[in-house]
């Protein structure tokens, strides 16, 4: 986490930081190594990785309005 480290102020806050860490730090090299054997499986893997990244980013995005107000990523909920 590049931001100032702070304690988990809420469950949502902890969920958000976990989701961001997964996207930022979980390497897929090992999974890629045993799943990709040719160009078709490489294409499938890349599409799947992008889909999962989008899902995780959406989960994180939906938590931004519930972060502590002083969190750098806090965003007021749009009505």
């Amino acid at each position: 986490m590049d931001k100032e480290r702070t304690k988990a102020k809420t469950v949502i806050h902890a969920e958000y930081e976990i989701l961001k860490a997964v996207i930022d730090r979980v390497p897929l090299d090992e999974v890629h190594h045993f799943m990709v054997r040719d160009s078709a499986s490489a294409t499938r893997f890349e599409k799947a990785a992008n889909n999962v990244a989008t899902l995780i980013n959406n989960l994180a995005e939906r938590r931004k309005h519930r972060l502590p107000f002083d969190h750098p990523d806090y965003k007021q909920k749009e009505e």
Side-chain angles (χ1 to χ4, degrees), residues 15-45:
E15 288 174 355
Y16 177 80
E17 296 299 346
I18 291 167
L19 291 165
K20 295 302 284 182
V22 167
I23 286 294
D24 293 345
R25 295 194 191 109
V26 173
L28 299 177
D29 300 342
E30 185 178 330
V31 180
H32 184 275
H33 178 73
F34 71 80
M35 292 198 81
V36 175
R37 297 285 182 247
D38 54 28
S39 63
S41 60
T43 299
R44 286 185 213 112
F45 185 87

Side-chain angles (χ1 to χ4, degrees), residues 56-72:
I56 294 171
N57 279 322
N58 286 344
L59 288 170
E61 193 65 33
R62 289 195 307 245
R63 284 159 174 74
K64 284 186 175 182
H65 73 279
R66 294 184 61 197
L67 290 171
F69 295 118
D70 60 345
H71 192 284

